[in-house]
Amino acid sequence: MIILAIDTSCDDTCIAILKIKNKTLPAGKQETKIKSFEILSNIVSSQAKIHQKYGGVYPALAKREHQRNLALVLKQSLSEAKLLKSKIKDKKLKTQIKIQKLEKILKREKILFDHLKKIFINYQKPKIDAIAVTIGPGLEPCLWVGVNFAKALGFFWNLKIIPVNHINAHILANLLPQASSNFQILNSKKLFPAICLIVSGGNTQLILMKNFRQYKIIGETRDDAAGECFDKTARILGLSYPGGPAIAMQAVKIPKSNIQNLISKIKLPRPMINSKDYDFSFSGLKTAVLYDFKKRPKKVKTSKKYIRKMAKEIQQSICDVLIKKTIRAAKNYKARTILLGGGVAANKELRKQFKEKIEKELSNVQYLMPNIQFCTDNAAMIGVTGYYYWLKNEIKNWKKIMAKANLRIN
Ligand code: KG4
């Protein structure tokens, strides 16, 4: 089976193609049948440069860029997967009628229609069995472009559509890329209950996972998401967007010599670290950075030393809160696994400190985190999740699929 997966939930235009095969593993005397996932292509077209000057994602611009990019990314993705086959220009009446109908489906996506029409006329239907698409949560205008695009492909190529929850996909990104072995691990009952920490630019959630399809949000941010906090504080410091990698890069530049002496102490709060619930709040942290920045003389706040020290403290504050609350949740819910996911899970310091803490305090708990390339938005994770939904028969008539900006996992 081959799945084409689409994600346009935020500012990256993502298309991936996954092949799912049956594989037989010789396990001692007994053979085991497993699913093997092969990523035929995984394209992420980043809009970071466009949003740079806003210090965050500008939804109307992101939507326009998705409309411009999707057909190109599709072509690139099909070509990499060796599924793009030209045909003699199709001028048949049947095709013309279909194109007219397509224009109706894409009535709000004029640029996309113009690009897609060329693909349908010039290329054969690729050997794909289904389309998986993110329907939420995310930025509503961006989600709709992806959903309408999926509907257009589904209609023209007569393919089923699997609507996917983006947060669920961040969790199941843990199945990539060695999906076959990880699929077995995650399917094993021994790993549940699991506590999942999903930290991205738009979401910060602690989720209790009872099995593949049973989730409960036990805590979430009351204001800014952890990634948003990285982005906003980076902007205060004059660093580039996205702020997470920019801050992480400055934080590692701190020399071993005691920088503490060079700049009067920077100490940021750890918001809600001791609250009894599992909620988070990061807007106060951003305000604390702004106050500290404002009170410093220009010469200090623009110095490399100040920026590096502040970057390290911002990163540490976010790590402290995320780790402490996740560990407490894992203890209280007697979790057998802790799973990370989302763009902020790409942070090397967070990954390292989590590992150390789990080994020290919860040595029986299994710790899974996606490969760094599968933490930030990508469509490969949508494909794996889509496949899982497919197994559960969660396929929809494409006409009924809607984008849902505030889609919840539970
Ligand atoms: O999951 P993602 O790609 O998109 C959303 O769905 O939001 O996450 C993007 C967020 C951005 O806020 C970005 O600053 C953050 O993830 N991020 C990081 C790192 N890489 C990306 N934050 C901290 N450290 C990183 N290495």
Side-chain angles (χ1 to χ4, degrees), residues 3 5 18 37 132-134 162-176 183 212-213 215 378-392 394 409:
I3 295 185
L18 259 66
F37 292 73
V133 63
T134 299
I162 316 161
V164 172
N165 179 309
H166 184 80
I167 298 290
N168 204 168
H170 271 311
I171 295 174
L172 299 190
N174 281 283
L175 299 170
L176 294 162
F183 203 76
F212 259 118
R213 292 301 280 139
Y215 300 92
N378 65 86
M381 67 180 191
I382 307 300
V384 169
T385 312
Y387 175 68
Y388 197 75
Y389 289 7
W390 171 277
L391 291 181
K392 305 272 168 195
E394 292 179 27
I409 200 168

Side-chain angles (χ1 to χ4, degrees), residues 82-97:
K82 301 200 170 36
L83 295 172
L84 190 68
K85 304 251 176 342
S86 307
K87 67 175 171 188
I88 302 158
K89 218 168 188 169
D90 189 347
K91 289 184 183 161
K92 283 185 211 144
L93 183 65
K94 207 173 134 201
T95 311
Q96 297 305 322
I97 294 169

Side-chain angles (χ1 to χ4, degrees), residues 7 9-12 57 137-138 166-167 170 198-203 225-232 234 240-249 315 318 341-351 372 374-378 381:
D7 185 89
S9 58
C10 193
D11 60 335
D12 292 319
V57 181
H166 184 80
I167 298 290
H170 271 311
I198 300 306
V199 266
S200 68
N203 296 281
E228 198 177 353
C229 183
F230 270 117
D231 296 338
K232 288 179 174 169
S240 60
Y241 172 82
I247 287 199
M249 202 189 282
Q315 180 174 263
I318 295 175
V344 178
N347 187 282
K348 289 190 179 144
E349 204 49 41
L350 180 71
R351 296 162 81 93
I372 288 188
F374 298 119
C375 288
T376 43
D377 285 350
N378 65 86
M381 67 180 191

